[in-house]
Structure formats: C-alpha cells, structure tokens
Amino acid sequence: MVEGDRTSGAASRDRSARPAADDWGASAVTTAIVDRLQPGDHVCWAFHDDEERLRTTLRFVAGGITTGEKVLCLTEDPTPEALRAVLEARGVDVTAAVARGQVRFRDARGSSPDTGVFDPVSMLDDWRRELGRARAEGYASLRAITDMAWLARPVSVTGIRRLAWYEAQANRMFADGYATVVCLYDRRLFTAGDLRGIASAHPGTAFTPGDESWRPQLRILRTDDPLGLRLVGASDLSTREALTAVLAGAAEDLPGCGAPLTVDVTGLTFADAAAVHALVRTAQTASAGLRIVGASSLMAKLIHLAGGCDTRGMTVETTADGPSPSTAREHTV
Amino acid sequence: MSPTELTTDRDGGAAPFEHLGLLYRTAADYLTGTVPFVRTALSAGDPVLVAAPKANLDLVRSALGSDARRVGFADMTVAGRNPGRILPGVLLDFADSHPERRVSIIGEPVWPGRTDIEYPACVIHEALINTVFAGRDAAILCPYDAQRLSPRALADAHRTHPVMEHLGTRRPSDAYADPLDVAAGFNQPLPAPPPETATAAYRGQASLTDVRRFVTQQAEAAGLAADRTAELTVAVNELVSNTIEHTTGGGSVAAWSERDTFVCQVEDTGHLADPLIGRLRPAGGASRGRGLVFVNHLCDLVRIHTRPGRTAIRLHVLLSASGP
C-alpha cells in the first residue's frame, strides 16, 4: 500500500516533467490539491521540478485573485519581476491585480536580501508585518506562496534545524486562520533527511501530489470563544514539530483572563504519544490550566497515561458517543 | 538519588530496597508470608499496595480485616496482564505517588495461568525490578505458588530475587544473578510469523497513515473490538515512528491471528540497546521511550528480540478481553 502511493506519485512526476507551457491546468490533481487549502493552512510543498513549482504557484495565485484575497508571492530565483512576467505570460492577469494592490511579488529573503543571512526571528517579524498589512488593507484573508530555495545554499545541519524551528514557530501566527501559506521546497536542493524535519514543522506536507484525496494532515486553528485551539485531522511524527510549537507557545500567545485554555480535539482523528505529552505539558504551563473538549475515550486514556491525571488544572471532557474508535474516523475525514 | 543518600535518612544501615521472593504452597502459607509484611508497613505508617491475582487479593483483604481500608489493591491479571507495564503502571506509579515514603508492595506477576508465551516477559520484569528500584526506599514481596508453578519458574524466582522467604525464614538466594544478564538471556529470536502473513513495508513519516490504515483493516478483519483496534493502532504507530526517528532505514509491519490473540510485529534495522526502555514512567521533558510506555500499556503482551541491525517487536492483543 505504501508502495502503491509511491507509484502514483512517480507517475505524476513524469507527467509534470513534460513541458506544459500552453496548458498549465493539465494537472488536475495539483489543481485540486491547491484548491483544497484553507486559511490557517501552512503547507510544506516538496516539488520535483520547475514546472511543478510554476504550476502550483500559478494555480495558487490565480485562485487568490478570483476569491479576492490578498496574494503574496515570495521568490528569489526567478526574481520577483521574472516570476510575475511568467505568470502573466501563462494567462493570469497579474498586472491588473498588482496595480490594484491585491497581488505583490517580493524577494523571498525577507527585508534584508543583501546580506543573504537567514535570521529566523526577523523573518517571523516580517510575516507579522505582512499579516498586519493585509488586514489593514481590508482583505479578509491572505494567501502567500514562498520559495525556500535560497535557504538550501548555505546548507548545514544547524541551518536546517534553524529553518525547521522557524517553520514550526510560524504556525503560532498562522493558527489564527487568516493566512494560507505554501512553502515551496525544491527536492533537488533539500535532501530527504532535511525535508523530514522541515515537513514535520508544517501541519501539512505535499510530497506526492498524485493523490487526489490529499489534504493537510492536521489543521491547528485558534478559537476565540472559548479561547484556545481547535485541532482537526491526525497528529503524528509528520506534524509533530508544528503541533509542539503551537502548544508550547499557547500559554504566551493566548493569554486568557483567568479562564483555562480550551483545546477542542473533537476533530482530531489520531494523536500519538508525543502529541498527547505536548497537551499535558501545555496544561502545566498555562496559568489557568487547560481544558480538553471532545476527547474520544482512547484520547482520554492516553492523556491519563501521559500523566494528565496528575496535572493540576487539566480537565478532559469526553465525547458523549462512548468508546469512539478514533482511528476508524481517521479515514473518513 | 544515590543509595548513600537514602541510607542516611532511614535506620542508618540496611540497603533501602528489598526485593523478596516468597514461596507458598497453601493459602495459610500465603497469609503467613504476606500479612505480617503488610502489617509491619502499616504500623510504620508506610503506604502499602497488594497487586496479585484476584483470589489472592481477596485472601489478604479478608485476613487484614479493617486494616484493608488502608491498603491499595490491584488485580494483577488486569493491571499486569502485560508484564512489561507492571513497572511503569503499577510499581513505579505507586512509588511515585508517595515520594517521601518508603513503599511496601506485594507484587505477584507469575501465576499458574501464565502462558509459555507470556512467561519470559515475566522473568524479564522480575529481573529489571532490581535495576529500576535500586536505591529506592521500597520493599517488594513477590509470592510464587510453589505447589503449582513449574520447577523452572521457581528456579527463575531464585535468580531474580536477592532474598527468598519460605515458611517464615528469609535466606539470601545463591542463584541470584545480574538482572541485566537475566533479561538479556530472554532476548531470543521470536518464532517466525505464520506463512502468508499480511505485511506492509514502510519508509518515512509520510507512510504512517498507511501503516495505521493497514493495522486497522487487519485488526477489524480479525474481529478485534473497535476500541482495542484503535489502541493497537496507536501502539504500532509509536513503534513505526521510532523506526523513522531513530534509524536510517524503513521497516515492515506484519499482522496475523494466533488462537485467541491478534498479533502485530514491527521489524526494523535498529537496535534497542536499553532494556529499561518502555518500563520507566515518562518524565516531563524526556521524549525517548515514552512511546514504548504507551505500547506496554495498550497491549496485552510485548515480545522483543533486538540486536545491532535488527529489532522485532511483537504486540499481542487478546481478541476476547476488554482494554487495560
């Protein structure tokens, strides 16, 4: 079964390798996947070749123009100007959208492209500014697609760890459900080992866009009433760093007024030991405690095993539907 | 805590941890060995837990009379059905919930109904108690039914307990052996899975979803209850995650039914060098091994064969029993 998925992925790669200059929409699969993204999604898009990158960008930008969202395109090579020209040549009316301020092309290297130094903290500040700016301009949501290729060059273990940290921390911002963010990772530049850690810092990863049923594996969304987070999908090793970062930052990011943070796990179809331990640790750091709602009986049992029962300020409310086999639900989402 | 720290705060001499094997033949023997042990601890104000098969629990409970209210009881055939979870789930759980006190525990992990397949895990558990509790302020008394258990089981009891008690007399056990050596002796190749067993290869974190689907489908087809299927899926997911995190290769999952048991085996190219992995309670920040603690809690038996370059972990879930 694992092999089967690989095969379909390989087939789609072969298709995308063919020049498709006059027909960027030919890959219905890629189209379908891009269109399935929602505000709050932060996806690691591990692409195989330039054509796939371009088609993904095209579809993503064109979709954003149609829905009236603010669209941000971050690239280094091709340059912002060149990418804009290519999109225009492929039939997307970016000129008009740029003219009315809806679409912006920018250097991917953040606010100081000259140094070329990766400063994760200033990059996160940069995102904060972009989100604030789009909001100030009155857009209901923001779409951003960013090519991370420039970070593959000074490749080192520390660099990759910093990059994974940055991607994981970014989820704390994106959890507010305003932006849809696609991070493009070139598989020719990043090794499989690099991508493992980087992917796990994203709640969703598109490795083989040949699977039509693909969607981000996990969605981590902030809720205001009650104050907290809603988790939808499955949380395992492939989303671990993303979830851990949001939960570890929750006490700081969601300062309640004496009310406990609420994490709604009704839509969480699977959680591994690390996810459950991260929840318990959140309960230990949140000043007013943590309330888990919608837990399956299995989830409640796992929280108990992880020491949640001994954690002051942690409450677990189970779903009324009795012993719900959470994995059975996983495949129907 | 080092042993020296502990010896200074109690009676100033004896090693703080005692691990006693108790040989009994009759109910009267059982009470002669266990009740004074309980009462001595109670009179010192120490917390006491009795974890034994239900019939023996009832025996001790009624002999203690009103004192039974001050004692914790756990049915070992449930709490300790999987011997691998007795340390984290029963013994350490109780000891850690009384951090400032000497704890006294009657723990009976070996009873005549234990199967040959379960038995090696029981001995490994008994041996590793010595390693895990070394230096802790605790006494653990393990009754063995000398009437009905095999000579081999009684011999192993002498290998895993530094002191043996029989008819009120305590003697150092000459056969007591290094606990890690005893445990390593049971690190043996597992019997081959049946022919034509359903198998799924995995590699990389993107295959976790497929692994979970495979386990769920196989378990459901075998008639495993939905809640136990979900638990087993969590357990297999932890093992597969360990492969992906800690080895450079992939692995495979095999699933089959064996009489009244559903079995999943995860094989990879790693080596579990630490025999205590999965037997210690997960401490706050430490992530290593907490997955295996979950596995021990969720399954009815965990069998491991590990050597450099290859590890096979076999998970058993009873088709009839309800969850732990």
Side-chain angles (χ1 to χ4, degrees), chain A residues 1-3 5-6 195-197 199-200 205 207 217 234-240 270-278 281 284 297-298 301-303 305-306 310 323-328 330-331, chain B residues 93 200-214 216 220 226-227 229-231 233-234 237-238 240-242 244-246 281-286 290-291 293-294 297-298 323-324:
Chain A
M1 30 146 236
V2 179
E3 303 310 319
D5 281 358
R6 285 230 186 78
L195 283 174
R196 189 174 76 74
S200 146
T205 294
F207 261 124
Q217 185 177 297
S235 180
D236 61 20
L237 182 62
S238 63
T239 60
R240 182 174 295 174
F270 182 84
D272 69 2
V276 172
H277 277 277
R281 276 199 306 280
Q284 288 159 351
S297 58
L298 174 62
K301 178 187 258 184
L302 297 179
I303 291 170
L305 289 179
D310 305 327
S324 64
S326 69
T327 47
E330 180 174 356
H331 311 306
Chain B
D93 181 62
Y202 61 87
R203 190 183 188 87
Q205 59 197 14
S207 49
L208 281 167
T209 310
D210 291 327
V211 167
R212 294 196 293 269
R213 190 177 297 126
F214 170 79
T216 304
E220 281 172 356
D227 57 337
T229 297
E231 290 172 2
T233 304
V234 170
N237 182 82
E238 291 302 324
V240 171
S241 301
N242 279 350
I244 296 163
E245 260 195 297
H246 302 296
R281 277 156 56 84
R290 66 189 170 192
V293 176
F294 271 43
H297 274 285
L298 297 173

